[in-house]
Amino acid sequence: DLITFMVSDGLKDIDQSLYDTVVIAGMGTHTILDIVKDSPRKFKKIIIISNNDYFELRNEMTFIGFKIVSEEVIEEKGKFYVLIVFVKGESNLSYRDLMFGVKHVDKDAYKRYCEYLNEKYTDIYCKLKDKHADRKAMVKNFIRDVREVRDEIE
């Protein structure tokens, strides 16, 4: 058997002597990070599909000693998810790498994801009132960055 499916309260019940890779999916970044950080076991490879806050996920996983091997954008029913494969190791990611990811496997899916982010945040920008100038500036910078990333995809 190559894959064993298990449900556990975190990773406490997983015998690391039998498994060196774990998949954590279907929850938010903060819950996933709590599970990884609270685990008494240290896995060589962790595959994560979070449903939010990819910047925080990349940043914290890098901080605790993992590097990104690959990322893949998955689109399902109009929603986008990012599958990220981490392995033990060091990496030095820029702000932009943390925000938009690195080593994307499917460039077409990644470009669609960037187009989705552009549309979503452009809509948010248009709805923000002028009294929220600081938020408008942040969103405007994000839109600029996502457009640059999208335009650089080969």
Side-chain angles (χ1 to χ4, degrees):
D1 293 345
L2 297 175
I3 298 176
T4 302
F5 294 95
M6 304 172 112
V7 177
S8 171
D9 181 14
L11 299 173
K12 294 176 234 144
D13 300 328
I14 310 297
D15 183 352
Q16 189 179 359
S17 67
L18 299 174
Y19 309 102
D20 63 356
T21 301
V22 64
V23 177
I24 306 173
M27 37 191 124
T29 287
H30 294 282
T31 302
I32 290 170
L33 289 171
D34 286 344
I35 289 169
V36 171
K37 289 176 181 178
D38 292 344
S39 172
R41 293 153 178 78
K42 303 301 176 203
F43 294 89
K44 291 180 185 174
K45 183 188 289 185
I46 302 178
I47 302 167
I48 297 176
I49 306 174
S50 174
N51 56 23
N52 63 13
D53 209 348
Y54 302 113
F55 177 93
E56 183 74 13
L57 178 63
R58 292 180 188 103
N59 190 47
E60 286 298 312
M61 290 297 290
T62 301
F63 181 76
I64 63 172
F66 286 88
K67 65 181 180 179
I68 297 171
V69 174
S70 65
E71 298 195 29
E72 185 165 356
V73 173
I74 300 164
E75 183 179 5
E76 183 178 287
K77 297 179 183 175
K79 291 195 63 127
F80 288 90
Y81 303 93
V82 181
L83 180 151
I84 307 175
V85 179
F86 294 95
V87 297
K88 290 299 280 179
E90 293 182 23
S91 66
N92 186 15
L93 299 177
S94 69
Y95 175 83
R96 189 168 155 174
D97 294 340
L98 292 169
M99 184 62 71
F100 299 106
V102 295
K103 302 178 182 178
H104 288 275
V105 175
D106 183 340
K107 303 295 185 196
D108 292 333
Y110 182 47
K111 191 165 194 161
R112 284 193 308 277
Y113 178 59
C114 288
E115 289 167 355
Y116 161 79
L117 290 175
N118 178 54
E119 290 174 20
K120 176 181 175 179
Y121 283 90
T122 298
D123 186 50
I124 290 170
Y125 180 82
C126 292
K127 291 178 181 176
L128 281 171
K129 305 291 184 213
D130 287 334
K131 66 181 180 180
H132 300 293
D134 56 335
R135 289 184 187 161
K136 280 190 91 160
M138 250 178 34
V139 172
K140 185 176 183 178
N141 288 338
F142 180 83
I143 293 167
R144 181 202 61 223
D145 291 346
V146 78
R147 287 176 179 171
E148 286 177 5
V149 168
R150 177 200 61 200
D151 293 345
E152 291 171 5
I153 299 171
E154 298 169 0

